């Protein structure tokens, strides 16, 4: 029977590429999304992947959503914590709401999603938890104190939980993408993209969502059982952790 994978934020951008790659590799995929019903419907129709709506910043919503997935598809073996938001502002202008929204989704969301599936993974002696962090969680970024703090926290969460899961056959790893050619990044002014962003990337281009998806596929596989607590840095050489 195919292993079941949940991808949060799984209907757009990097998450969509991950969902598609997992399905192509034979996983049964549940793609979570938070708010864009139109995009989720189009994604489901295009791919045949089941979509489920809930907000990862709410623990109760995650518990209920995961229960629906497991009722429909079976126990969750692979969890990809990809959902994330930005509320950028220079720190002296950042509001408590901007701080809290990003921490609640990008950091607490990992607890909210992983905690409900952890016991089942321990009982079955198999699990793969893959957390999508960011280059800005490694090096920081002006105007993103909230985002950088959350994404750095994701890495601490990964390393601590990896130690707890190891003896139960559960691996916990992180991926830190750099600038990836998603719809959001490609919407940046072309001059800014070509003159300020791409010149910082030694390989001379944006990454592709599919390149991050291939990292996920590797970490999700049976053959990656000796790799845990690791961070894959996928940023074209822009930053070395």
């Amino acid at each position: 029977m195919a292993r079941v994978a949940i991808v949060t934020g799984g209907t757009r951008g990097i998450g969509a590429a991950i969902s598609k790659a997992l399905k192509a590799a034979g996983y049964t995929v549940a793609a979570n999304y938070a708010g864009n019903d139109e995009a989720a419907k189009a994604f489901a129709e295009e791919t045949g992947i089941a979509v489920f709506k809930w907000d990862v910043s709410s623990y109760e919503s995650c518990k209920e959503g995961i229960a629906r997935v497991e009722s429909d598809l079976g126990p969750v073996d692979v969890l990809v914590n990809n959902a994330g938001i930005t509320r950028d502002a220079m720190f002296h202008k950042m509001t408590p709401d901007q701080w809290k929204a990003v921490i609640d989704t990008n950091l607490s969301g990992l607890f909210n999603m992983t905690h409900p599936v952890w016991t089942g993974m321990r009982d079955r002696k198999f699990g793969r938890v893959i957390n999508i962090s960011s280059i800005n969680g490694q090096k920081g970024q002006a105007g993103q104190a909230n985002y950088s703090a959350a994404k750095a926290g994701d890495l601490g969460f990964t390393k601590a939980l990896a130690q707890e899961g190891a003896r139960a056959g559960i691996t916990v790893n992180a991926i830190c993408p750099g600038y990836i050619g998603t719809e959001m990044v490609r919407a940046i002014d072309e001059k800014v993209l070509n003159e300020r962003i791409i010149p910082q990337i030694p390989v001379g281009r944006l990454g592709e969502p599919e390149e991050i998806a291939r990292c996920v596929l590797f970490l999700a596989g049976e053959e990656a059982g000796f790799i845990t607590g690791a961070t894959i840095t996928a940023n074209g050489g822009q930053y070395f952790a």
Side-chain angles (χ1 to χ4, degrees):
M1 190 155 100
R3 293 201 181 279
V4 175
I6 293 179
V7 182
T8 66
T11 64
R12 300 172 68 194
I14 291 172
I18 293 169
S19 295
K20 291 175 185 177
L22 286 167
K23 184 187 178 191
Y27 293 84
T28 299
V29 180
N32 152 269
Y33 74 102
N36 193 325
D37 294 322
E38 187 177 339
K41 182 181 178 185
F43 175 82
E45 290 174 351
E46 174 202 345
T47 63
I49 293 171
V51 298
F52 296 82
K53 182 178 182 178
W54 72 82
D55 179 0
V56 301
S57 72
S58 163
Y59 184 79
E60 289 305 317
S61 294
C62 290
K63 274 183 67 178
E64 292 167 8
I66 290 165
R68 291 201 308 273
V69 170
E70 294 196 323
S71 175
D72 290 356
L73 305 179
V76 175
D77 299 301
V78 177
L79 171 62
V80 184
N81 285 310
N82 168 74
I85 63 170
T86 56
R87 297 289 185 271
D88 295 352
M90 296 304 286
F91 189 67
H92 65 285
K93 294 183 178 179
M94 186 173 288
T95 67
D97 284 346
Q98 288 173 315
W99 174 269
K100 187 174 187 301
V102 171
I103 297 297
D104 285 354
T105 295
N106 298 10
L107 179 55
S108 297
L110 270 64
F111 174 86
N112 296 341
M113 284 298 304
T114 309
H115 194 259
V117 302
W118 191 253
T119 298
M121 289 179 174
R122 281 171 52 85
D123 289 346
R124 295 188 300 277
K125 302 298 182 189
F126 181 88
R128 297 286 185 264
V129 178
I130 302 163
N131 301 316
I132 308 301
S133 179
S134 168
I135 184 175
N136 291 342
Q138 297 174 299
K139 72 175 187 61
Q141 178 62 44
Q144 287 196 325
N146 50 4
Y147 185 85
S148 295
K151 291 299 186 178
D154 292 348
L155 299 180
F157 176 87
T158 297
K159 292 172 184 178
L161 202 58
Q163 295 178 54
E164 294 190 27
R167 300 241 171 200
I170 307 168
T171 66
V172 187
N173 293 290
I175 300 168
C176 285
Y179 282 95
I180 306 299
T182 60
E183 183 181 341
M184 180 177 70
V185 171
R186 293 192 186 280
I188 295 171
D189 180 86
E190 192 173 349
K191 187 175 181 183
V192 173
L193 205 57
N194 291 331
E195 294 182 10
R196 293 178 56 189
I197 293 176
I198 292 177
Q200 297 178 33
I201 305 171
V203 301
R205 64 173 177 85
L206 300 174
E208 295 298 332
E210 291 75 18
E211 293 178 297
I212 306 304
R214 285 193 286 274
C215 295
V216 170
L217 277 185
F218 169 66
L219 293 173
E222 305 273 350
E223 66 277 13
F226 198 62
I227 300 169
T228 194
T231 300
I232 294 180
T233 298
N235 61 35
Q238 186 177 353
Y239 181 80
F240 300 125

